[in-house]
Amino acid sequence: MSNLAVITIVHGRHDHLERQAEALGRSRDTDFSYIVVAIDDPELSSWHPPIVTPDVVPISRLGRSLPLATARNLGASRALARGAETLVFLDVDCLPGRQLVKAYRDAAMALSTKDSILCGPVAYLPPPPVYGYDLDSLSHFAP
């Protein structure tokens, strides 16, 4: 079985991160690492969402710009050091469907080479209803 890590970088946007963690916690495949690279966001060092346990990796901003590529590489390095063979980079404003982790794991395991890039479908959600998205119905928006 391919060891898998979901990697997200964040600077602020805690509401998005909370919704993403909740959506990941509903995953049908729960055997994955969740790496959150926090850019100048010390508040996240004590973040403990109720469903998934993140490995929060801090990084400092360089001057005025956000070190996005460096943050992604740091997340990848942490995931590989923890034994991940498949890396799933998920933007903080993405809400994964229940099948996302399993679909990436299955696709990675079906490949004949480990040096591959997989890209799944992305659907854009309509504006959220007053009480937020129903995470159990995200598949209705899938292309």
Side-chain angles (χ1 to χ4, degrees), residues 127-143:
V130 175
Y131 298 105
Y133 296 109
D134 174 9
L135 295 178
D136 290 326
S137 66
L138 289 178
S139 63
H140 297 295
F141 299 104

Side-chain angles (χ1 to χ4, degrees), residues 1-4 29 31-32 101-109:
M1 180 180 276
S2 176
N3 292 327
L4 186 141
D29 181 338
D31 185 23
F32 63 91
V101 172
K102 182 179 182 333
Y104 273 111
R105 185 186 315 279
D106 291 349
M109 291 176 64

